[in-house]
Amino acid sequence: MQPSTARFVLDPAFDVAVVDPRLFGAFVEHLGRCVYTGLYEPEHPTADEDGLRTDVLELIRQLGVSVVRYPGGNFVSAYRWEDGVGPARQRPRRLDPAWRSIETNRFGLAEFMRSLRKTGGAPMLAVNLGTRGVAEALELLEYANHPSGTALSDLRVAHGDTAPFGVRLWALGNELDGPWQIGHKTATEYGRLAAATAHAMRLIDPQAEFVVCGSSGRGMPTFGAWEAEVLEHTYDLADYVSVHAYYEEREGDRDSFLASAVDMDALIEGVVATCDYVGAKLKSAKRIRLSFDEWNVWYMSKQSPEGPRDWSEAPRLLEDVYSVTDAVVVGSMLISLLRHADRVAIGCLAQLVNVIAPIMTEPGGPAWRQTTFFPFAQASRYGRGRVLQVHADSPAYSTAVHGTAPILHATAVLDEESGAVTIFAVNRSQSEPLALRVELRGLEASAVLEHSVLTDADADAKNTLAEPERVTPQAAKGSEIVGGVLDATLPPLSWNVIRLGSPKSISGA
Ligand code: AHR
């Protein structure tokens, strides 16, 4: 039996936008073992002079993380940034009420900035607008960015960082719409505080860019209304509004899980519509863009409500182990972000190490790549350039949660310098291969450079400490371009990266 076929046309005359490199960001929160025994473990055999695990730094470089949001998350809403600077021995141990853990503060702003220098990412610093406000945000800005000659900038210099950190991107609080958030606020309270904070910070640093909190999820009762009111207060000051979404497979409904990006698309389009509604109301020509600064698969429902949150240091929290299916869904979420590159400027996979993360570690032991590592690394590497429009004609299937969904989910990115085109494609069918036919118009690419596929006979296969390389992408055979048409086969339940270029690039000539 012939597999069913999905088709689309690629033509550089029809594009979406140039990808902002910050779409491939991640998130480091003081939560569980993301920082301690994850990124930072001075006692580890691979630790460098700053206490950073070089095995983890190497994996972060491989992952291609362009921006890192820090230090939270729920954690930031009770955080005192000054606890995390200066001589490590003098830093206070504190209760972290967000995760009911002990925070030693051995890792703070300077250590975070050092980790970025070694991995190549830019910072997105979150300020505490839960228990704190304008004054503390200004103090953090002065400490971080002012060259010298004032109390706080000189303190940074005295702490050993003579050059300012030059932080440009600031998150104004975290998920303050959520009743669980420390310092939870109404949209009016938050909107006014965010506006006052941004206004004051910009007086000190006119280049500062601000992310205001959108809703913590599409399911929040105030979704939409929250964004509209917050933006009415902050429209002229905000550059981005935050968007958060996590998905998980519900018992026996893999079909719906595989179509999670249908919900992600609706979420993005709903937030964009709300931003533009406020812009229209205010008669503003400015367009607010989205910072999708928490997204991932997260088995939240399987998490024990108490967890080991017993005031211990670096407890094992949220250490989800990801399957091939999870990786395919993560790939599909990346496709959704790329397809909306005209309005989504920033994306942060939540989180980076150990906590719902693509990188896992053992204290004193190895670091390894989860299944979800691979789609992210490939999208970050090959998803830079101009996103081309993909209007696919695809067979569809029905899902309990998302209605009818296309079996093919795809996007394509043109690297204008080399003329190479990368197609990212997911086959959502659990049982059937999908034939893919792409008509290439006005493109130089005339050969398949690589077709990499992540799939497995066991869709639940995972990488673990015992078997860290169980799942990796493999080369697929049989994809070819004949007469300007690409033909490829996407295995059932698979993430595919098909790179097209000129035959010269194959021989390396
Ligand atoms: O990423 C884990 C948590 O999820 C973050 O702390 C919070 O912002 C979100 O609810």
Side-chain angles (χ1 to χ4, degrees):
M1 204 177 76
Q2 288 292 318
S4 53
T5 304
R7 301 181 163 75
F8 58 86
V9 175
L10 286 182
D11 185 330
F14 301 97
D15 66 358
V16 177
V18 172
V19 177
D20 188 318
R22 296 174 302 174
L23 203 61
F24 306 108
F27 176 30
V28 166
E29 176 166 6
H30 285 246
L31 192 183
R33 299 193 309 115
C34 183
V35 171
Y36 302 108
T37 74
L39 183 56
Y40 178 83
E41 189 179 348
E43 303 77 21
H44 193 270
T46 73
D48 66 12
E49 66 289 357
D50 295 317
L52 300 165
R53 284 183 61 150
T54 54
D55 57 346
V56 173
L57 296 179
E58 171 52 27
L59 289 179
I60 297 172
R61 283 190 289 268
Q62 277 181 31
L63 195 58
V65 175
S66 54
V67 66
V68 182
R69 180 170 176 252
Y70 173 83
N74 295 341
F75 172 81
V76 78
S77 293
Y79 182 53
R80 297 159 48 89
W81 67 267
E82 54 276 45
D83 288 347
V85 299
R89 282 181 322 281
Q90 290 165 22
R91 296 185 193 171
R93 286 168 67 82
R94 300 261 187 215
L95 295 178
D96 160 23
W99 301 104
R100 289 179 60 87
S101 307
I102 294 292
E103 174 55 53
T104 63
N105 284 304
R106 281 180 77 190
F107 186 96
L109 180 56
E111 291 76 16
F112 172 64
M113 294 304 299
R114 277 177 212 138
S115 75
L116 291 181
R117 273 181 229 127
K118 292 171 184 177
T119 54
M124 182 203 300
L125 268 198
V127 300
N128 173 357
L129 292 189
T131 59
R132 303 185 121 188
V134 183
E136 295 88 349
L138 287 181
E139 285 165 7
L140 172 57
L141 177 61
E142 179 184 327
Y143 181 92
N145 282 6
H146 195 69
S148 64
T150 64
L152 290 168
S153 57
D154 285 346
L155 185 64
R156 185 201 65 244
V157 174
H159 290 160
D161 284 291
T162 33
F165 293 134
V167 178
R168 285 284 155 268
L169 190 56
W170 297 89
L172 300 175
N174 176 69
E175 292 190 348
L176 284 146
D177 64 318
W180 62 87
Q181 198 68 212
I182 296 161
H184 163 59
K185 292 179 173 44
T186 64
T188 317
E189 289 164 347
Y190 171 70
R192 292 182 58 150
L193 178 58
T197 309
H199 168 72
M201 289 177 79
R202 202 163 268 153
L203 289 176
I204 291 184
D205 185 351
Q207 320 238 306
E209 290 195 297
F210 299 110
V211 181
V212 295
C213 290
S215 297
S216 47
R218 189 169 177 229
M220 295 299 287
T222 50
F223 175 71
W226 169 277
E227 280 81 356
E229 171 142 21
V230 166
L231 285 171
E232 291 202 11
H233 290 286
T234 57
Y235 204 86
D236 289 341
L237 294 154
D239 298 284
Y240 313 97
V241 63
S242 75
V243 185
H244 293 179
Y246 295 100
Y247 298 94
E248 66 181 298
E249 183 175 336
R250 303 283 172 172
E251 203 56 43
D253 190 9
R254 185 157 288 179
D255 276 344
S256 295
F257 179 52
L258 285 164
S260 296
V262 171
D263 183 84
M264 192 166 180
D265 289 346
L267 168 58
I268 293 172
E269 286 153 26
V271 176
V272 167
T274 308
C275 293
D276 291 351
Y277 155 76
V278 180
K281 225 173 133 186
L282 299 176
K283 300 180 182 57
S284 172
K286 178 177 176 181
R287 285 286 165 272
I288 301 283
R289 294 197 294 161
L290 274 46
S291 172
F292 211 130
D293 46 40
E294 285 189 35
W295 68 267
N296 205 346
V297 170
W298 177 7
Y299 285 88
M300 215 182 295
S301 66
K302 293 192 184 143
Q303 195 184 298
S304 111
E306 289 80 38
R309 300 176 189 184
D310 52 358
W311 305 115
S312 52
E313 285 178 31
R316 288 185 187 260
L317 293 178
L318 282 51
E319 298 198 3
D320 287 7
V321 179
Y322 292 119
S323 67
V324 170
T325 305
D326 297 325
V328 170
V329 171
V330 161
S332 186
M333 293 171 85
L334 285 158
I335 289 171
S336 177
L337 292 175
L338 283 165
R339 288 176 62 94
H340 291 93
D342 53 335
R343 294 304 290 268
V344 184
I346 302 163
C348 299
L349 177 68
Q351 299 193 0
L352 184 55
V353 191
N354 288 327
V355 173
I356 46 172
I359 299 170
M360 297 300 287
T361 69
E362 268 303 304
W368 67 97
R369 301 171 296 183
Q370 294 235 50
T371 57
T372 54
F373 182 99
F374 302 105
F376 187 100
Q378 291 176 314
S380 176
R381 179 150 183 204
Y382 299 117
R384 315 279 178 121
R386 195 144 62 94
V387 180
L388 303 183
Q389 289 185 24
V390 169
H391 298 288
D393 173 11
S394 165
Y397 72 119
S398 50
T399 72
V401 177
H402 309 293
T404 303
I407 288 178
L408 175 76
H409 191 211
T411 188
V413 181
L414 168 66
D415 173 348
E416 285 175 297
E417 240 170 72
S418 67
V421 173
T422 302
I423 295 170
F424 301 103
V426 158
N427 175 3
R428 289 172 168 148
S429 168
Q430 293 191 54
S431 52
E432 304 301 325
L434 181 67
L436 177 65
R437 208 137 232 241
V438 182
E439 193 183 323
L440 305 167
R441 290 188 193 154
L443 290 162
E444 284 166 38
S446 57
V448 176
L449 307 181
E450 180 191 20
H451 177 174
S452 155
V453 63
L454 192 82
T455 189
D456 202 280
D458 175 7
D460 295 315
K462 301 172 173 77
N463 291 342
T464 58
L465 174 62
E467 232 185 330
E469 297 282 315
R470 165 70 183 80
V471 180
T472 53
Q474 305 295 324
K477 293 199 179 72
S479 309
E480 56 174 359
I481 298 176
V482 178
V485 176
L486 164 73
D487 275 301
T489 303
L490 315 182
L493 211 160
S494 62
W495 155 260
N496 300 264
V497 180
I498 308 174
R499 297 199 298 117
L500 315 177
S502 63
K504 263 195 307 190
S505 7
I506 304 179
S507 59

